[in-house]
Amino acid sequence: MSPHDTARAVQSRHAARILCDDMLRTLERHEPAAAARLSGRSKVRTPRGQDVIDVVITGRENAGKSALVDALNAVAPRGPMSFREWTEEDGDGVQLPVVVMVFDAAGSMGSTELAELRRLNANVDRVVFAITKTDMHQNWRQVRDRDAQLLAIHTPRFTAVEIHPIATPLVQASNDRRDTDPDAARALAESAGIEALYEAIRAELPAPGADYVARNLLWSVTGALQEARAHRQRLSREVQNNPEINRLHRVRAELLRNRGAGRSEELGSLRSDVQLARVELGHDVAEWARATSAATRAEIDALGGSAIESYPARVRSLVRAGLSENDQRVGDRIDALWSARSISQPAAEPAAEESDTSDAASSRVASSGAALPAAPRRGAEDYVMVLIGASVGVGLGRLVVSPLSLVPVLEILTIPLTLLLGGAVAVWMMRIRRQIAARTRLREWTTEQLLDARGKMERSVGTRIVNAEQQLAAAIGGRFDEKVAATDSDVRQIEVELRELTNHRDRELATLATEASHISEAMDRGLRFLEDARPAAD
């Protein structure tokens, strides 16, 4: 080995120890437990004065490790390497310069090999791979390719490594033919792959003076830092995907989506119900007017004498009862409109009070004033009727008293009796004429009273329904305004909580990002040092 290579190895040894201590301090700041676990290893030193370097063979049981150890030891019995199997004394392998990982051609690696690979990946700098029993299994190449894929997946550090095929039974066959058939012996030896594996292991030997334990420790510390960084990345994802923040965002979105929902539907339903109430109340008013008009006409036709004079009181009573019933119907429908929306009705209804006051005043006017018009003064028709009655009476008188004219003594009485009967008939016809005129006036007056009452009812319906609609619309708007105000208050409270949680999350993410950055810097320094070329062995 040249003096330059020796000096480079010594420099690398010191640099590895310094870098390892620096990375341990970084790990101690962020992962004290892992640093405490590895701190004892940093005191381990590379054995000095070794003439023969131990190379350890590891793998699962029945993978042909013993036969491989014997074959490798037989290649150069007095060479620089001594081969043996992994023992419990080797611990985690941090003091091993080179390790050979053996796979079995009978099948792809399993959980046992993966656990061993994770240990080697974290603690051993130089690992050589081999697959045994290639002489017993025709599909060993497919198994080797599958093992290479699993290596790349589970231990990216060993991506694209060479897995050397080994057939140890061919070694004995080669030795048996070495004297009789040297060419065949050489071909069998090449097929066995022992010499190629031996040279690959020799190429991985540490240079004289190199601190391979320090490099193994660097791999241990680098692996611990990698786990620490992965842990912080997982924590960052968990912190970023905060379930409480996500829940508050969903609640806030739901509150804003339902903030004014239902207002237009409620007002539309109110308009429909009000229109229906107005139409039905209008039909009730028209039905009352029709039924009352028919009843009064029949009653007036049957009136006679003094009953005609007292009938206006009956009409006024019917009007008052109709107005009262209408007010009751309107009040019931308005109460139904309020109760259907679960809204408390105001204590006083200004529009209804005005309507009631107006109706009461109208009723007082109708009851106190002589609404029935006075009989007109006698006119030509009355005189004509008197003449017609007198003429009819005289004619009837003559017929009645004509028998008296046959008696001479009573003949003188025919003229007075005829005149008396004529006058009586004239008076009777005059009274009949006046009753017919009175019924006509009463019928007209009753019709006017009913029309006036119907108008009052329709105005009361329209006024009170419109006022009720306005009050209901205002109450509905107020209820929704309260709901919107409560929603806005909840949203503001949620936004305050979101800001607090977001600020806390951002602080945690910044802390985790800073720690991950420091860990990455230390880990990158270690990986760069480990990936640098080192002096080759003699």
Side-chain angles (χ1 to χ4, degrees), residues 348-369:
E349 238 188 305
E353 290 178 356
E354 291 177 5
S355 178
D356 292 342
T357 304
S358 176
D359 293 342
S362 300
S363 299
R364 287 195 299 271
V365 171
S367 60
S368 60

Side-chain angles (χ1 to χ4, degrees), residues 277 281 284-285 288 319-337 345 349 352 355-356 359 456-457 460-461 464-465:
L281 289 173
D284 292 340
V285 170
W288 175 87
V319 169
R320 286 194 295 271
L323 291 173
S324 177
E325 292 175 0
N326 181 68
D327 290 340
Q328 184 64 35
R329 285 195 301 271
V330 175
D332 292 341
R333 292 307 296 262
I334 291 175
D335 292 341
L337 290 175
Q345 188 174 358
E349 238 188 305
S355 178
D356 292 342
D359 293 342
K456 289 186 176 68
M457 291 180 184
S460 176
V461 168
R464 296 183 64 184
I465 287 294

Side-chain angles (χ1 to χ4, degrees), residues 25-32 228 232 514-516 518-519:
R25 285 192 294 271
T26 302
L27 183 63
E28 187 176 3
R29 286 198 302 270
H30 303 292
E31 293 289 341
R232 276 151 182 77
T514 302
E515 292 180 358
H518 294 163
I519 293 171

Side-chain angles (χ1 to χ4, degrees), residues 137-154:
H137 301 282
Q138 296 292 331
N139 62 335
W140 66 269
R141 291 180 177 83
Q142 289 81 1
V143 174
R144 181 182 62 177
D145 294 340
R146 177 58 179 165
D147 289 340
Q149 293 175 358
L150 293 174
L151 277 175
I153 293 172
H154 294 282

Side-chain angles (χ1 to χ4, degrees), residues 203-219:
E204 294 296 330
L205 291 178
D211 193 350
Y212 58 84
V213 174
R215 294 182 63 87
N216 290 347
L217 288 172
L218 277 177
W219 280 114

Side-chain angles (χ1 to χ4, degrees), residues 14-71:
H14 291 300
R17 288 289 178 174
I18 294 172
L19 182 58
C20 182
D21 293 339
D22 180 58
M23 293 172 65
L24 272 174
R25 285 192 294 271
T26 302
L27 183 63
E28 187 176 3
R29 286 198 302 270
H30 303 292
E31 293 289 341
R37 188 175 64 253
L38 295 175
S39 60
R41 300 183 188 179
S42 63
K43 307 300 188 295
V44 177
R45 298 296 173 181
T46 304
R48 300 298 179 186
Q50 282 187 320
D51 296 330
V52 178
I53 297 176
D54 281 345
V55 177
V56 175
I57 311 297
T58 186
R60 68 182 178 189
E61 295 295 329
N62 301 322
K65 294 181 290 183
S66 299
L68 180 59
V69 168
D70 294 339

